Amino acid sequence: MSTPEDMSADLLVVGAGPTGLYAAYYAGFRGLSTVVVDSLPEVGGQVTAMYPEKMIYDVAGFPAIRGRDLVKGLLEQASQWNPTYLLGRRAEELHDEDGGLRIGLDDATSIRVGAVLVTAGIGQFSPRPLPAGEGWLGRGLVHFVPALDAHAGQDVVVVGGGDSAFDWVLALRPIAASVTLVHRRSRFRAADSIVRQAYAENVRVITDAEVTALRGDADGALAEIDVELRDGTRLALPAQTVVAALGFTADLGPLESWGLSIERRAIRVDTTMETTRERVYAAGDVAAYPGKVKLIATGFGEAATAVNNIAVALDPSAKLFPGHSTDV
């Protein structure tokens, strides 16, 4: 973190995921100076933190694009307008001030802006721990796989039964020495299609079982794990990496004290993407309205809608319709 300071801008974007990055681009396109704040140390939000290697199939114009490549492209797109990024910092306080807003960050930085756009996704999220893995995080136990190549030639055990667990299994299978999935139930939360794919590719799947212990070698590096089946059978599996894909808990943190209308960790917005608080807008997964569909593509459209309305709120003489980007 840098030294606390006073800053000013037309727009503060809370959240540097895909929707926030696109908002930073679009704000620049509308001539707005922009500051982007995110509690994570890197841009990309959940995409960077949770599935940078996964292919994304529902972004317009790309039959398929890897998560990290999408983030890279969005960052390059926004860079032409030179937004300011304050990463590893959290927006905490929001106050009205002389027709604008002042936001206080957790490092005591204070930012005076004309409007705020919240693109915080699901909010602050924390992976659910693997009970048997206490003390092993960063020593063979991981929650995410930011680089597949780091696990080439390893024995990998993935714990969980959701989409992410199966995604990691299928992504790691071609490069790891072995990949095993362990799930405490016989049924999965994952989509049937990827479950069938895992079985079709002969992935070893152990159900009705739990990981009960992790053990290291003479040097302290993770070497194997114990698995206990519901019928009492015990297995010892080689493992240099355990991926605990057990889901996560999430909350909106300080945003819940901003006087917004919040239901089930989502912020209610109107058709302009404005919240119940004047000059505070929301877009992406954090925004809620009837008929909402949570997709990255939806977030892009919501960001453009929000920024165009913000431009008019900050300058009533501005036109809502921005013109076409091809006219620039």
Side-chain angles (χ1 to χ4, degrees):
M1 292 186 183
S2 61
T3 302
E5 55 190 323
D6 286 330
M7 305 176 64
S8 64
D10 295 318
L11 175 65
L12 175 75
V13 178
V14 181
T19 298
L21 293 176
Y22 187 69
Y25 155 74
Y26 212 94
F29 173 64
R30 286 304 307 251
L32 305 179
S33 58
T34 307
V35 175
V36 182
V37 174
D38 200 297
S39 60
L40 296 175
E42 297 181 83
V43 300
Q46 296 173 56
V47 173
T48 295
M50 299 175 65
Y51 51 93
E53 296 289 346
K54 281 179 60 176
M55 302 304 294
I56 300 171
Y57 299 97
D58 54 6
V59 176
F62 296 96
I65 184 169
R66 199 172 302 278
R68 67 169 69 252
D69 294 332
L70 176 63
V71 170
K72 179 181 177 183
L74 288 164
L75 191 59
E76 291 177 355
Q77 184 182 30
S79 67
Q80 61 189 295
W81 308 116
N82 298 312
T84 297
Y85 294 97
L86 302 179
L87 303 177
R89 310 194 207 187
R90 186 173 66 179
E92 293 196 331
E93 298 181 353
L94 175 67
H95 303 285
D96 296 307
E97 182 179 278
D98 300 327
L101 301 166
R102 184 168 291 279
I103 295 85
L105 307 188
D106 61 349
D107 67 344
T109 293
S110 180
I111 309 172
R112 167 85 159 90
V113 297
V116 172
L117 174 56
V118 180
T119 60
I122 61 171
Q124 300 172 27
F125 54 92
S126 302
R128 289 193 172 95
L130 177 67
E134 185 174 356
W136 286 97
L137 190 61
R139 299 174 50 226
L141 174 66
V142 299
H143 292 290
F144 312 116
V145 184
L148 294 175
D149 290 345
H151 306 288
Q154 292 186 342
D155 298 300
V156 180
V157 175
V158 179
V159 185
D163 288 333
S164 293
F166 278 89
D167 284 336
W168 293 133
V169 164
L170 293 172
L172 289 165
R173 193 190 67 81
I175 66 170
S178 70
V179 178
T180 302
L181 181 100
V182 176
H183 184 44
R184 62 194 178 107
R185 298 189 180 95
S186 58
R187 300 183 66 179
F188 305 103
R189 301 185 310 279
D192 290 342
S193 59
I194 58 173
V195 173
R196 287 195 300 269
Q197 183 180 351
Y199 278 106
E201 295 186 16
N202 295 316
V203 171
R204 186 182 186 187
V205 177
I206 303 174
T207 59
D208 293 320
E210 294 193 35
V211 175
T212 56
L214 282 69
R215 286 194 298 277
D217 58 19
D219 296 322
L222 182 63
E224 65 178 6
I225 67 168
D226 289 337
V227 175
E228 183 172 340
L229 279 62
R230 185 171 298 174
D231 65 7
T233 302
R234 296 183 179 181
L235 305 174
L237 304 178
Q240 290 80 57
T241 294
V242 171
V243 182
L246 301 172
F248 47 85
T249 58
D251 65 75
L252 295 179
L255 297 182
E256 295 190 10
S257 67
W258 284 14
L260 311 176
S261 176
I262 296 175
E263 297 179 11
R264 300 177 66 180
R265 297 198 302 272
I267 301 171
R268 303 294 297 183
V269 296
D270 62 19
T271 56
T272 70
M273 308 309 298
E274 190 172 25
T275 70
T276 51
R277 184 161 183 173
E278 188 177 4
R279 293 203 178 190
V280 178
Y281 296 72
D285 285 357
V286 75
Y289 50 82
K292 170 66 178 271
V293 178
K294 293 186 177 183
L295 294 172
I296 290 175
T298 306
F300 291 159
E302 292 170 353
T305 296
V307 170
N308 283 316
N309 281 280
I310 288 168
V312 174
L314 298 185
D315 179 8
S317 67
K319 294 181 179 179
L320 177 63
F321 180 64
H324 298 290
S325 60
T326 50
D327 296 333
V328 175

